Amino acid sequence: MEKEKDSYINQGTKNIAKPEELNFEELKNNNFKWTRKTLLSTKDLHIDEVEAIFHTAESLSEILTRKVKKVPALRGKVVINLFYEESTRTRSSFELAGKYLSSDVTNFSISTSSVKKGETLQDTAQTLIQMGADAVVIRHNVSGVPFQLAEYLPRNISIINAGDGSNEHPTQALLDLFTIRKHVPSLKNKKVVIVGDILHSRVARSNIWLLQKFGTDIHLCGPPPLLPESFKNYGVKVHWKLDDAIKDADVIMTLRLQRERQTTGLIPQLDEYHRLYCLSHERLKLAKKNVKVLHPGPINRGVEITSELADDTNYSLIADQVSNGVSIRMALLYLLIFASVDS
Amino acid sequence: MSKLLIKNGRYINPITNTDDILDVLIENDRIADVSKEINLSNGVKVINAKNCWVTPGLIDIHCHLRDPGYPEKETIETGTRAASAGGFTSICPMANTNPVIDAGALVEYVNKTNQKYGFVNIFQIAAVTKGLNGTELTSQDELKNAGAIAFSDDGKPIENLKLYRHALEYAKMLDMTIISHAEDTHLKSDGVIHEGELSLKLGIPGIPSSSEEAAMAREIALIRQTKGKLHFAHVTTKEGVELLRLAKEEGLNITGEVAPHNLILIDEDLEDFNPNKKMNPPLRSRLDREALVKAVLGGIIEVLATDHAPHTREEKSVSIMEAPFGIIGFETALPLYLEVFYHSKKMKPLDFIKLITSNPARILNIPRGSISKGDVADITIINPEYEWTYDVTASYSKSKNSPFDQRKLKGKAMTTIVGGKIIFEALLDA
C-alpha cells in the first residue's frame, strides 16, 4: 500500500500530494483532516470540507489544460458509474474525471424496467462489492436510493450521489458554488435566486443546503405548483413573480423545465411559463449590474433562459460550470477514495 | 368434557363493565363460570394469570392475509398464526387478494381453508365491486350468505359516487357496513409519503391530507343521503378526525379506526428512506398523530386496527417509489397500543380493551368481544408489563416488513385462547 502511494507521487504528479499530505494551509482551519468516505448530500458537509474540495479541485483543474490529460493519482482504482437514469453530462463528467486521474471507470447502466423484474438494492450492492469497486457514482430517478444502497455497502467503498430523484445532486451544487466563487468571493448576505421547477429539482435542494452554510440570502422563484410556499420553512424566501425575485440579485440560477410538467397540469402552457419565468437581458436589468447567471444544463433555449443570455459570457457562467464540474469530480474521487476508513 | 380454568387474573369485560380479580372457567368452547375463587380439582388444566389481564379475545377488523394469490407474502396459515401470537382471536381480512373476494365461493374458500389450517377466527370482508374495479357491484346478498361480515374495496377507493351510493343502499338493506378506504386518487397521484415538510425537503412525491379529507367529506354526504353504515378504515389526518367528529355529532352511522403505526410514527421518521415505513395512507405529521390520539381518547375513533399488510423482503428492498405500500402489524400492535394509551396513563384498562374487542365486534356485528358466562371462549391473557424486544426475524408472519424491528416493547399476549382451546402460549425465557 505504501509503495503504491509512493509510486503515483513519483510518476510526475505535479501539484498532487497524498491526501494526508494535502496542503490545506491556506484554509482557515489548520487542524482540518479529510476523513469523509462518501458524499450523499450537501446537508452534512462541513465548510472546511467544502474548502478542501475547492482547494483540491483548483489544483487538479490544471490537468485539463495539459496536452496529455492524465495523471496516475487513481491508477489501479475502480470507479463504477451506476446509472439508473439516463444522463449523458453528469456521467461523462464523472467518467472523464476518473479517467484523467487514471482510474478504471466503467459504466453500469440499469434501466428501471429491469429493476422492476426484481433486482433488489442488496443484490446490486453485492455485485458492486464483487466487482471490486473503490468508488460508486450513483444516479437514480428516485430520492433516497444512494442512501439505501450505502446501507448495504462496506465503508471502504466510496459512494457519490450523482443525483437522486428530486432530493439531492451534491456535486452539482459544489461545482455551482465553485464557479460562483470565482466571481463572487464571499457569498455572505449575497442574494442568490434560483428560478424554475424547484419542487422537482435536486439541484435546487443541494444548492439551498450548501449555500445556507455560507450565510447566503437565498430566494426561490417559480409558479405555485412547482414552488410550494412552505419552502419558507427552510429559511429561504419564496417568490412567484420573477421581477420581485431577481431585484438586486447577485447570482441567478435558472433550472431546466421538464416539458412533461405541462401534461400533469403543473404548468398550464409552455408559453405562459416562458412569459412569466424566462430569464432575459431585459429582465436582468432589475438585478445587480455585475449579476452572474448559471444553468445546470441541458438548456431549453427560449423556455427558461433566452438563447442570447445563455451565450453572453458577460453574465453567463454556463460554460465554466461544465469544466469546473470535471475538476470538482476529480477532487471528490481523489479525496473520497483515499480517505482512510478507520479515521 | 374439556375444562380450562384461568385463575387470579384481572378479568376485564367491557360489555358488562367489569374490571375485577375473577377466575374464569371454560368448558369445551364456552365460558362456564366467572367468579371469585373457582376451585376445581383433578383433570382441569389451570392457567395462573396473576398480574395479567384476562380479556375478550382481541379482534382486528383490518388486515391482509394475501390468501388466495400471494403465498410468497402470507397465507391463511401463517397470517392467523401471527395474529394468535399478537393476541388476536378474530381477524377480518380485506378482499384485495388474487382473485379478489367478490363471490360467495371465494368467501367459502377462505373459511374452509381457515378451518383446515388456520389458528384464529376469520371474518372475511368481501369486495364492494367486482375485482375491485370500481365499476360493477358485487352481489352483497350472496357474499353475506357465504359468510362475509362487511364490504370494502380497501386499497382502491371507489371513485364513482353513484355506484357507491347504490352499494350503500344494498348494504343498508342487508344491515351490513361498508368499510371505506377514503382517498382521492387524483390528489394522491404518484405520492408515496405524507405531503409536508419532509416530502418537500427530500423531494419525494407527497400524498396531501386533502386526499383523505376530500374523500371522507363526499362519502359522508352519501351516508347523509342513504342513511347507510360506513366505517372509515385507517384515518390518518386531523382534518379527517374533525369530519368524523362532526358526522358522529350529527348522528350519522359512521365510525372510524386508526392503525398503530399512525399513533407511533410520523412522516419525519422517514428521513431514512426506509420502505418499511411506507404505507397508504402514509405516516402523517406530528399534529396529525396528536389529533388521532385525542380522537381515540375522546371516543371519536372507536377502534384500533392493525392494517397488517405483508410484503416480501425483495419487494421492499427497492426504492421508496417502487416498494409496495404496507407493513405487518399483528405481533407489535398490542404493545404499541398499550404504549400510546395505557403506559402513558391516558386510559384505563377497561376503556382501552374496548377499542380492540367489544367496539370492533359491535361495528361489524361480529359475534365475539365478550367473555360473560355462556359466551364463546375466545380469551386473551395479557401481561401489560412484560418487557421484550421485537425481533422481526422471529415473526410468525411470512413477511418481515416492519419498521419496529428491534424496538423495545412493553406488554404482550401471553396466552391466546380460541373456542376454548389454547392456540398460542408465549414461550418466555426459562
Side-chain angles (χ1 to χ4, degrees):
Chain A
M1 195 66 191
E2 270 314 301
K3 255 190 185 159
E4 188 191 315
K5 278 185 188 163
D6 284 338
S7 65
Y8 73 72
I9 298 291
N10 296 336
Q11 284 175 11
T13 314
K14 236 171 53 181
N15 297 334
I16 304 172
K18 285 189 270 185
E20 57 268 38
E21 290 169 5
L22 273 176
N23 183 7
F24 291 129
E25 260 169 29
E26 293 150 50
L27 307 182
K28 280 173 208 150
N29 182 357
N30 285 320
N31 295 325
F32 173 72
K33 264 200 167 144
W34 184 270
T35 55
R36 174 179 287 277
K37 203 61 193 166
T38 65
L39 179 70
L40 298 176
S41 163
T42 54
K43 287 191 204 87
D44 63 347
L45 264 181
H46 194 273
I47 290 181
D48 285 342
E49 292 178 301
V50 176
E51 300 299 347
I53 294 164
F54 288 177
H55 186 76
T56 311
E58 198 62 62
S59 66
L60 291 174
S61 64
E62 173 257 343
I63 297 167
L64 297 182
T65 64
R66 291 187 189 182
K67 264 190 183 159
V68 178
K69 299 185 185 64
K70 213 170 196 66
V71 297
L74 291 179
R75 205 174 59 165
K77 299 294 178 189
V78 175
V79 176
I80 296 181
N81 277 335
L82 178 63
F83 276 59
Y84 291 85
E85 184 184 74
E86 274 307 308
S87 153
T88 315
R89 306 173 148 247
T90 305
R91 205 201 59 215
S92 305
S93 182
F94 270 106
E95 194 172 341
L96 287 172
K99 284 178 171 169
Y100 291 159
L101 299 182
S102 301
S103 64
D104 292 305
V105 184
T106 185
N107 292 314
F108 202 94
S109 297
I110 301 178
S111 77
T112 355
S113 59
S114 79
V115 172
K116 283 225 165 75
K117 279 177 206 136
E119 169 134 309
T120 66
L121 293 171
Q122 272 156 298
D123 291 340
T124 308
Q126 202 51 43
T127 307
L128 297 169
I129 296 166
Q130 296 306 326
M131 283 179 169
D134 292 291
V136 178
V137 177
I138 174 172
R139 155 76 60 104
H140 200 288
N141 57 341
V142 177
S143 296
V145 171
F147 299 79
Q148 292 173 273
L149 195 71
E151 295 285 311
Y152 298 120
L153 288 173
R155 292 225 317 124
N156 63 334
I157 298 181
S158 290
I159 308 159
I160 303 178
N161 182 357
D164 63 320
S166 308
N167 182 30
E168 289 234 34
H169 194 352
T171 63
Q172 179 72 42
L174 285 165
L175 78 87
D176 287 344
L177 180 58
F178 186 63
T179 305
I180 294 168
R181 283 248 302 239
K182 289 177 189 283
H183 302 269
V184 187
S186 165
L187 278 148
K188 189 154 177 63
N189 298 325
K190 290 292 191 296
K191 182 172 181 179
V192 174
V193 188
I194 308 177
V195 186
D197 180 1
I198 310 289
L199 183 66
H200 299 95
S201 177
R202 51 193 172 215
V203 175
R205 284 187 180 77
S206 278
N207 265 302
I208 292 169
W209 317 137
L210 183 63
L211 289 169
Q212 280 183 333
K213 295 174 198 289
F214 293 87
T216 308
D217 180 22
I218 304 169
H219 294 248
L220 307 178
C221 181
L226 300 178
L227 176 56
E229 204 170 3
S230 33
F231 263 103
K232 274 185 192 160
N233 299 334
Y234 291 107
V236 296
K237 294 175 190 80
V238 168
H239 305 272
W240 292 326
K241 292 186 175 149
L242 186 61
D243 288 352
D244 296 344
I246 63 179
K247 192 170 183 301
D248 298 323
D250 295 282
V251 176
I252 302 170
M253 307 169 110
T254 174
L255 302 170
R256 177 181 171 81
L257 183 81
Q258 302 289 339
R259 283 161 198 266
E260 64 262 24
R261 301 294 173 230
Q262 199 197 328
T263 54
T264 51
L266 287 162
I267 58 166
Q269 299 294 330
L270 210 57
D271 67 330
E272 182 192 279
Y273 184 88
H274 166 83
R275 207 162 55 241
L276 296 176
Y277 299 103
C278 182
L279 211 56
S280 63
H281 279 99
E282 183 59 31
R283 285 207 134 119
L284 225 51
K285 285 177 185 162
L286 292 164
K288 290 240 178 83
K289 221 170 67 194
N290 49 354
V291 64
K292 297 297 173 198
V293 175
L294 292 90
H295 189 297
I299 310 170
N300 286 314
R301 286 175 181 262
V303 178
E304 62 261 2
I305 185 168
T306 62
S307 208
E308 297 75 24
L309 182 56
D311 294 335
D312 183 350
T313 50
N314 289 319
Y315 300 105
S316 170
L317 304 179
I318 298 171
D320 297 353
Q321 283 174 281
V322 177
S323 55
N324 287 336
V326 179
S327 302
I328 286 288
R329 285 161 184 140
M330 282 196 288
L332 283 166
L333 285 171
Y334 181 71
L335 290 167
L336 297 172
I337 288 177
F338 278 111
S340 159
V341 239
D342 341 294
S343 37
Chain B
M1 187 164 28
S2 81
K3 290 186 182 182
L4 182 60
L5 179 59
I6 304 167
K7 282 195 70 73
N8 310 319
R10 178 170 175 180
Y11 171 92
I12 299 171
N13 191 15
I15 287 286
T16 56
N17 219 27
T18 318
D19 178 355
D20 202 354
I21 306 292
L22 293 169
D23 293 351
V24 179
L25 178 66
I26 299 166
E27 284 180 8
N28 295 327
D29 66 335
R30 296 275 161 173
I31 292 169
D33 193 12
V34 179
S35 322
K36 290 253 174 221
E37 291 288 324
I38 303 176
N39 286 306
L40 288 173
S41 50
N42 46 11
V44 180
K45 183 176 162 61
V46 177
I47 298 173
N48 185 357
K50 196 165 191 294
N51 301 322
C52 289
W53 299 349
V54 177
T55 76
L58 308 187
I59 300 173
D60 183 25
I61 67 169
H62 188 159
C63 66
H64 301 267
L65 293 186
R66 311 298 187 205
D67 192 348
Y70 306 98
E72 71 283 7
K73 297 177 197 250
E74 196 82 285
T75 62
I76 286 171
E77 184 179 354
T78 58
T80 55
R81 181 113 199 259
S84 74
F88 295 96
T89 58
S90 294
I91 59 175
C92 305
M94 286 294 177
N96 62 340
T97 48
N98 185 18
V100 167
I101 311 294
D102 59 5
L106 287 153
V107 179
E108 282 159 15
Y109 158 81
V110 171
N111 288 335
K112 279 188 180 143
T113 308
N114 192 44
Q115 272 167 25
K116 207 165 167 192
Y117 301 104
F119 289 80
V120 304
N121 305 309
I122 287 182
F123 295 98
Q124 180 66 43
I125 296 163
V128 177
T129 66
K130 279 276 178 193
L132 307 181
N133 64 11
T135 56
E136 188 191 347
L137 294 179
T138 56
S139 169
Q140 295 184 6
D141 176 65
E142 173 190 323
L143 291 160
K144 186 185 178 186
N145 285 332
I149 197 85
F151 303 106
S152 181
D153 275 7
D154 183 58
K156 280 201 172 178
I158 302 163
E159 301 263 288
N160 180 336
L161 293 189
K162 182 172 179 292
L163 193 79
Y164 208 149
R165 170 190 173 175
H166 298 324
L168 285 162
E169 288 165 343
Y170 275 103
K172 183 172 191 267
M173 175 180 89
L174 297 167
D175 192 29
M176 295 282 270
T177 300
I178 288 188
I179 302 175
S180 157
H181 172 112
E183 168 188 300
D184 182 284
T185 49
H186 288 103
L187 283 169
K188 173 182 170 277
S189 179
D190 59 349
V192 293
I193 69 171
H194 173 60
E195 182 178 314
E197 280 198 28
L198 192 83
S199 69
L200 209 58
K201 183 175 168 190
L202 302 182
I204 298 176
I207 304 172
S209 294
S210 61
S211 152
E212 177 172 293
E213 185 187 3
M216 282 180 73
R218 70 189 177 208
E219 291 175 28
I220 289 169
L222 289 182
I223 292 300
R224 193 173 288 124
Q225 179 173 24
T226 60
K227 306 278 181 277
K229 277 204 290 186
L230 189 69
H231 174 74
F232 284 113
H234 44 49
V235 178
T236 61
T237 63
K238 55 184 190 305
E239 293 82 4
V241 165
E242 178 59 10
L243 285 174
L244 192 55
R245 188 185 70 78
L246 290 169
K248 295 183 86 146
E249 205 174 84
E250 190 184 328
L252 300 177
N253 239 323
I254 293 178
T255 51
E257 78 193 21
V258 61
H261 40 268
N262 288 110
L263 296 166
I264 297 271
L265 302 174
I266 54 173
D267 62 339
E268 288 167 39
D269 292 310
L270 259 153
E271 187 124 33
D272 62 1
F273 304 97
N274 180 355
N276 284 336
K277 292 177 192 163
K278 175 185 173 183
M279 64 288 288
N280 186 28
L283 300 173
R284 296 287 184 184
S285 72
R286 196 174 294 276
L287 288 175
D288 289 309
R289 181 177 61 181
E290 272 174 36
L292 292 169
V293 173
K294 268 193 199 149
V296 173
L297 297 175
I300 297 165
I301 291 176
E302 296 170 79
V303 178
L304 309 177
T306 68
D307 199 0
H308 175 86
H311 292 291
T312 65
R313 200 177 67 129
E314 290 67 36
E315 291 172 292
K316 282 288 198 179
S317 301
V318 293
S319 74
I320 192 87
M321 291 299 284
E322 295 155 306
F325 291 102
I327 61 168
I328 56 170
F330 282 145
E331 289 161 86
T332 48
L334 175 62
L336 295 176
Y337 297 150
L338 284 166
E339 178 180 329
V340 178
F341 298 112
Y342 175 69
H343 293 302
S344 63
K345 303 199 168 33
K346 290 194 171 91
M347 263 184 151
K348 286 189 235 132
L350 191 66
D351 295 324
F352 168 75
I353 286 299
K354 249 183 223 175
L355 304 168
I356 40 180
T357 58
S358 53
N359 283 358
R362 188 196 79 228
I363 287 164
L364 295 193
N365 281 324
I366 300 170
R368 293 292 190 281
S370 168
I371 45 170
S372 303
K373 187 175 171 180
D375 284 334
V376 173
D378 282 7
I379 296 178
T380 305
I381 301 176
I382 298 164
N383 182 342
E385 305 298 330
Y386 182 76
E387 292 182 24
W388 57 296
T389 302
Y390 180 57
D391 174 9
V392 76
T393 59
S395 167
Y396 289 101
S397 173
K398 219 168 201 183
S399 292
K400 311 295 174 196
N401 51 315
S402 170
F404 300 115
D405 188 29
Q406 300 309 317
R407 189 184 176 97
K408 291 205 179 344
L409 300 170
K410 197 170 172 189
K412 195 177 192 350
M414 309 314 272
T415 309
T416 308
I417 298 166
V418 180
K421 289 196 185 74
I422 297 174
I423 294 299
F424 171 82
E425 272 182 299
L427 297 170
L428 307 182
D429 331 287

